[in-house]
Amino acid sequence: MLHRRLPEVPQDSQDEPNAAVDPAVDGKEHPRVVPLTSPHLSYVDGQSFFAHLSTAQRHNSPSLWKKREEIGRLAMEFPAFTVFTDQELSKVAFRGSNGRSLRVNNSITGFPAWRCRPGDTEDMRSAMKRYISKAALGILGTAFVVPALVITPAQAESVPDQAAMVQNYDVLVVGKTTGFRHSSIDEATTAIMALGEANGFSVDVWDPPTSSRNQGQPDRTLPSTPFTSAADLAKYETVVFVSTVDGTNNLDPAKPTLLDAAELSAFQGYIRSGGGFAGIHAATDSMHTVPWYSQLTGGGARFISHPEQQNAVQIIEDATHPSTEHLAGTWTRFDEWYNFTQSPRESVRVLTNLDETTYNARGNAMGSDHPLSWCQNFESARSWYTGGGHTEASYVDPTFLKHLLGGIAWSAGAASGGGDCVTWSEVESITEDLLAEGEISSKAVTQLTKQLDNAQALAEAGQHADSAEKLNAAAAQVGAHVDRDSAAHNLLLGKVRDLQTWQSELE
């Protein structure tokens, strides 16, 4: 989907853009929303609405599930009325806050499906409404706002406009620590809450006391763990881990991790059901003995060491993402710069890279390949990480706050840009899985891989426009060799188009 800047939408029109009124089936009136671009429409009401899930369920590309440019303007109350093309029904899935209540089987296809019913609770309706708001990305929204209450007026005036963002979603901030406690966790939480107030998302906090040295934020924390089940966590569009150190960096398997086994299982279920994740600073210094977690935070890269706090320069490798589009060329800041056990580059989209020639990295220096912020589509989630944010001053820095807000909003599915962090390796992995599952032929793989390799080579040579053009050939191979009515076709074509958007915007 092409990323675009949008004007602010007035507060009284955000939830029902261009809404006409449909006759109600439950004695109430509900909005009907007319898509902007779809010529062939299917009319689906709230009692019969469903969306196919298949191979796409496991990969759950946010660009495949949670929004499509064909969807146009959407809004939903329940029982809802909305409009889709036949292809859109195979491209998009939405879910509510209670999977057991909403999940049914699609009798036509046999695939698992989701639908909404008039008897659903207000919480479920609210959750579904937020997911449909994500589908409208690029069509409605309001500009990012860095609130003046956390920065000085002079700083506020210096903050540029940024990408459009859908409002009305929920964020869980996790500040719990059982190891070293960063003093900036409280400031980070305050800043995120202020960003939420200014940008239309609500914030819950999980930061309980864990010891005499780790008192947490008792006035803010939830009374008990929110990591009870995937269904309970589903009320949040994203979960933000803020420097959640648990002291497991010695890799002792007997040492308790930040989340216990039951909490980890709930969190994994949430991620695999399409949740979001944003990690700040020492989020990579947590659960070192849980390989899955370090893959979630970024390609297996874990914190290993840091030098003294100092100024350093980050090179902006990708300014197409909502968290970096306000940055140009380089970014100089004072912070604590992490070294990692490995570079995550092969698995993630690198957004910024530390220039080690501009500071003293000391032991465990990583050299020229030193990513500091990145994003990825992991299992069923959008995952974003920044290594910045050790200092308390970070959370009154408008440039860093823009970076943070863009990452949180993107991970929640409330902001979009640059092909939404699709990577060459991600498409390769999907292709291999579809072949193994018998969804596509070996000929399709051979032809598609050839064009993708050519496009990647052009991209790595800095020829982004040529790469974008070559991806038309990759899309043509999908059309020629993959059944157009299949979920595999929609999945692969969507990913190729996301790659194309990315390369086009890099140019």
Side-chain angles (χ1 to χ4, degrees), residues 189-251:
T189 305
T190 298
I192 294 170
M193 294 174 73
L195 290 171
E197 183 175 348
N199 291 276
F201 63 85
S202 62
V203 177
D204 284 345
V205 178
W206 175 233
D207 192 3
T210 58
S211 70
S212 58
R213 293 188 303 167
N214 281 319
Q215 288 298 305
Q217 299 179 77
D219 295 335
R220 288 173 166 169
T221 191
L222 295 167
S224 60
T225 177
F227 292 89
T228 48
S229 69
D232 289 339
L233 283 171
K235 69 173 290 188
Y236 304 107
E237 274 68 32
T238 192
V239 178
V240 183
F241 277 42
V242 182
S243 292
T244 48
V245 179
D246 67 355
T248 58
N249 58 344
N250 63 358
L251 301 180

Side-chain angles (χ1 to χ4, degrees), residues 83-105:
V83 184
F84 296 89
T85 65
D86 291 341
Q87 280 204 345
E88 283 160 356
L89 284 173
S90 67
K91 288 180 180 178
V92 182
F94 306 109
R95 63 185 175 83
S97 62
N98 186 325
R100 289 179 300 175
S101 174
L102 296 177
R103 188 168 185 172
V104 296
N105 273 334

Side-chain angles (χ1 to χ4, degrees), residues 271-287:
I271 291 297
R272 291 163 180 165
S273 298
F277 173 82
I280 301 173
H281 194 55
T284 51
D285 190 12
S286 189
M287 294 197 282

Side-chain angles (χ1 to χ4, degrees), residues 120-134:
D120 290 337
T121 68
E122 289 301 318
D123 286 345
M124 295 176 198
R125 296 178 184 187
S126 175
M128 287 290 281
K129 184 175 180 182
R130 288 194 299 274
Y131 276 88
I132 285 169
S133 292
K134 295 176 186 178

Side-chain angles (χ1 to χ4, degrees), residues 135-165:
L137 285 172
I139 303 298
L140 70 108
T142 55
F144 281 158
V145 178
V146 173
L149 65 135
V150 296
I151 58 178
T152 68
Q155 289 170 319
E157 292 171 1
S158 70
V159 177
D161 290 336
Q162 198 169 3
M165 184 179 73

